[in-house]
Amino acid sequence: DTGVSQDPRHKITKRGQNVTFRCDPISEHNRLYWYRQTLGQGPEFLTYFQNEAQLEKSRLLSDRFSAERPKGSFSTLEIQRTEQGDSAMYLCASSYYRAGANVLTFGAGSRLTVL
Amino acid sequence: AQKITQTQPGMFVQEKEAVTLDCTYDTSDPSYGLFWYKQPSSGEMIFLIYQGSYDQQNATEGRYSLNFQKARKSANLVISASQLGDSAMYFCAFRGYSTLTFGKGTMLLVSP
């Protein structure tokens, strides 16, 4: 297992188009997280799953954003009708939940540019 | 809601010197965890060190140590013997019951 994989690494799209990002977590990890990071800021939480259940969503996740983890393995994050403000790095992370550290392992991110 | 603050936008240090990156937090949660991550220019977030709120001793991982002062609500990262490869953004993060909340980060530049 080589870690958390994200695809695509870079996406350039025109305003109004839909985009989808995919995340493949570390196989034994049962939690999967999506974060968004804009230039000069720390990552901001969007949502997370435990297995296939989406347990928490940030108010940053507007109705144009939808995330799924259909079989508790990979996850997709779709943005509909993209806006220029959606330009950011979208980070996926996974962890194996246990009491204590619950360290998140991050992927390299998917950078979105909306023109 | 938890709040996490990194007051140093940037820090400079010479190679082989030690450097301390500041982090303070605000919470009413009785149990929580504090993390530090490194983000080099390649963009990937790399886990460095973890401190649990009930841990009696400060965490250490190689050249990294976490100076945890619970009463002051601070969790500063100390990097000993800085290396050129330490140049990166460093993020402090807080975990309460579920999600990880990040600070705005500190850019560390290590000079020869």
Side-chain angles (χ1 to χ4, degrees):
Chain A
D1 194 6
T2 56
V4 178
S5 298
Q6 292 189 245
D7 184 70
R9 293 292 311 279
H10 302 274
K11 179 72 177 178
I12 300 174
T13 191
K14 292 183 178 178
R15 185 164 52 93
Q17 298 293 306
N18 298 345
V19 296
T20 299
F21 301 115
R22 176 181 170 120
C23 173
D24 288 273
I26 293 172
S27 57
E28 60 267 28
H29 284 183
N30 57 358
R31 282 197 171 182
L32 186 148
Y33 304 76
W34 285 100
Y35 282 79
R36 181 175 72 184
Q37 186 178 23
T38 53
L39 201 62
Q41 301 294 317
E44 297 172 297
F45 170 75
L46 293 178
T47 188
Y48 87 94
F49 295 82
Q50 181 154 309
N51 301 313
E52 65 274 11
Q54 189 172 18
L55 295 187
E56 189 171 341
K57 292 194 292 186
S58 162
R59 52 190 167 82
L60 290 176
L61 210 68
S62 75
D63 55 6
R64 296 185 298 105
F65 287 70
S66 63
E68 294 183 341
R69 194 183 183 196
K71 296 183 179 179
S73 56
F74 74 91
S75 175
T76 57
L77 177 68
E78 182 183 16
I79 309 173
Q80 296 183 325
R81 306 181 301 281
T82 52
E83 301 173 356
Q84 288 184 327
D86 297 331
S87 296
M89 177 77 87
Y90 290 85
L91 295 166
C92 178
S94 68
S95 72
Y96 183 78
Y97 178 74
R98 64 185 186 276
N102 192 29
V103 175
L104 272 63
T105 301
F106 283 83
S110 293
R111 182 170 295 283
L112 174 65
T113 302
V114 181
L115 302 175
Chain B
Q2 292 84 16
K3 184 177 178 181
I4 191 146
T5 304
Q6 294 181 254
T7 57
Q8 304 155 315
M11 289 287 285
F12 294 90
V13 66
Q14 275 202 310
E15 201 176 5
K16 300 179 185 176
E17 301 273 310
V19 62
T20 298
L21 306 182
D22 295 342
C23 174
T24 59
Y25 59 93
D26 187 18
T27 185
S28 56
D29 292 347
S31 177
Y32 51 89
L34 293 151
F35 299 75
W36 278 90
Y37 280 81
K38 172 184 178 181
Q39 188 176 42
S41 56
S42 59
E44 190 162 351
M45 298 285 285
I46 301 167
F47 167 72
L48 296 178
I49 195 166
Y50 164 80
Q51 179 84 42
S53 59
Y54 289 115
D55 292 343
Q56 295 296 316
Q57 292 188 324
N58 287 345
T60 59
E61 290 285 350
R63 294 185 299 110
Y64 304 109
S65 60
L66 201 153
N67 183 2
F68 181 50
Q69 297 187 49
K70 193 171 183 178
R72 294 186 177 183
K73 294 187 176 177
S74 74
N76 298 340
L77 177 70
V78 181
I79 305 174
S80 63
S82 298
Q83 301 173 355
L84 295 178
D86 293 336
S87 292
M89 281 291 289
Y90 288 81
F91 292 97
C92 182
F94 174 97
R95 178 180 58 79
Y97 288 110
S98 57
T99 60
L100 205 57
T101 302
F102 287 85
K104 291 191 174 183
T106 296
M107 171 67 80
L108 176 66
L109 290 177
V110 181
S111 61

